[in-house]
Amino acid sequence: MRYCLTILALVVAAPVFADDLRLNQIQVIGSHNSYHIAPTADTLALIAAARKDGATSLDYTHRPLAEQFEKLGIRQVELDVFADPAGGLFAKPSAYGLLKERGKDPGPDPNIEGQLAKPGFKVLHLPDIDYRSTVPTFAAGLKQIREWSKAHPRHVPILVLVELKEDAIALLPTKPVKFDAKLLDAIDAEIRAVFDKDAMFAPDDLRGTLETLPEAIRKRGWPTLADSRGKVLFALDNDGKLPLLYLENHQALKGRAMFILAENPTDPAAAFFKLNEPIKDFDRIRKLVAEGFLVRTRADADTKEARANDTNRRDKALASGAQYVSTDFPEPRAEWSNYQVRLPGNVIARVNPVSGPPKGGADDVELRK
């Protein structure tokens, strides 16, 4: 009996090495609207004249994607994508023209290199008023991610959220194109044109020969870091009708490039959830993470936490076990406060506080790439 207890103690205390962890057993920091450049002061004043909180909520800027990966350790990014099959739909934002006429500063011409005049998917936040972007096209964003990933083949896997934008905004002249089945297929095709099978982790890779994604999570689990370093995952960051359309003729996401936002853990395509309110949804996030699902939450929103130096939401998000904790402030905005969102020790990833294994040899976990 004493011999058995000794063996058990050795097993429990065995070191936990990074490459043995599964993808759902780590936690990383992500950026929200990762392409976003804040409107100029004159543009913000124009927006504030109509809605003051609308202006304050947009006053944040992210570094270029490669710098986020390299300097800040970001491992989840988000791109807002608009369809522009004819080209030119977003080339002349109305606020840009209006401010130029008034002798104000609207910032650089967003179409100075002509990229917005060409057909293809565009990346921006709001047509006409919040259009500044470090990656004006979806193809450019994908290529930037792929180039950095290829140059860092042992990086902790990166999740790319792809939010498709199609809703018109009252009083703004630009009317986005609605996504249909053909455009959804085109999104997949654009992803696969940049990322070959070995460079990404798709729903088919999780499912294997099983029928549904929840079954695969229960029976096979997510891949280890040893098997997924250097890879990129994609998720369709929409609810409502678009994920249903994306699923048509692709039961349990067979053949698709992206995961989708699940509503119910029993759905055949359930693998990834978005619960952006970590205080309100704290218990649900922990339950889903404990069941093996991936979850994204937000540490802050609308610049409120950074302005007030309020860490309550951030701390709850980290404690919830959500694998992806997204922020607009991986670096502090010094004129407001010291608020920022980083993991303890500024590591790139850490053992997940909910789904991770016992930390017996936690000092041996190396997650700095």
Side-chain angles (χ1 to χ4, degrees), residues 260-310:
I260 61 171
L261 300 183
E263 294 184 1
N264 191 307
T266 61
D267 292 342
F272 175 67
F273 288 79
K274 180 176 75 173
L275 295 167
N276 282 341
E277 301 294 336
I279 296 176
K280 177 174 70 72
D281 292 323
F282 185 78
D283 291 338
R284 188 178 181 215
I285 293 173
R286 289 179 67 88
K287 185 174 186 295
L288 288 168
V289 171
E291 291 173 351
F293 295 102
L294 299 184
V295 179
R296 181 260 199 169
T297 194
R298 288 183 67 179
D300 43 72
D302 301 326
T303 74
K304 293 177 181 177
E305 287 78 12
R307 293 176 188 273
N309 199 21
D310 181 356

Side-chain angles (χ1 to χ4, degrees), residues 36-49 51-52 54-61 93-100 102-110 126 128-133 307 333 336:
H36 191 263
I37 301 173
T40 65
D42 287 335
T43 309
L44 288 173
L46 184 67
I47 297 169
R51 181 182 168 189
K52 182 177 180 180
T56 58
S57 70
L58 302 177
D59 193 8
Y60 62 94
T61 295
S94 60
Y96 180 87
L98 180 62
L99 289 169
K100 289 284 282 187
R102 295 179 178 179
K104 303 289 187 178
D105 176 23
D109 181 351
L126 298 172
D128 295 309
I129 57 172
D130 191 20
Y131 46 82
R132 300 180 70 194
S133 175
R307 293 176 188 273
R333 182 80 172 261
W336 293 348

Side-chain angles (χ1 to χ4, degrees), residues 79 115-116 120-123 133 135-142 190:
L79 302 177
Q115 66 270 43
L116 298 183
F121 297 108
K122 307 303 192 301
V123 176
S133 175
V135 284
T137 70
F138 188 44
L142 293 173
E190 194 131 311

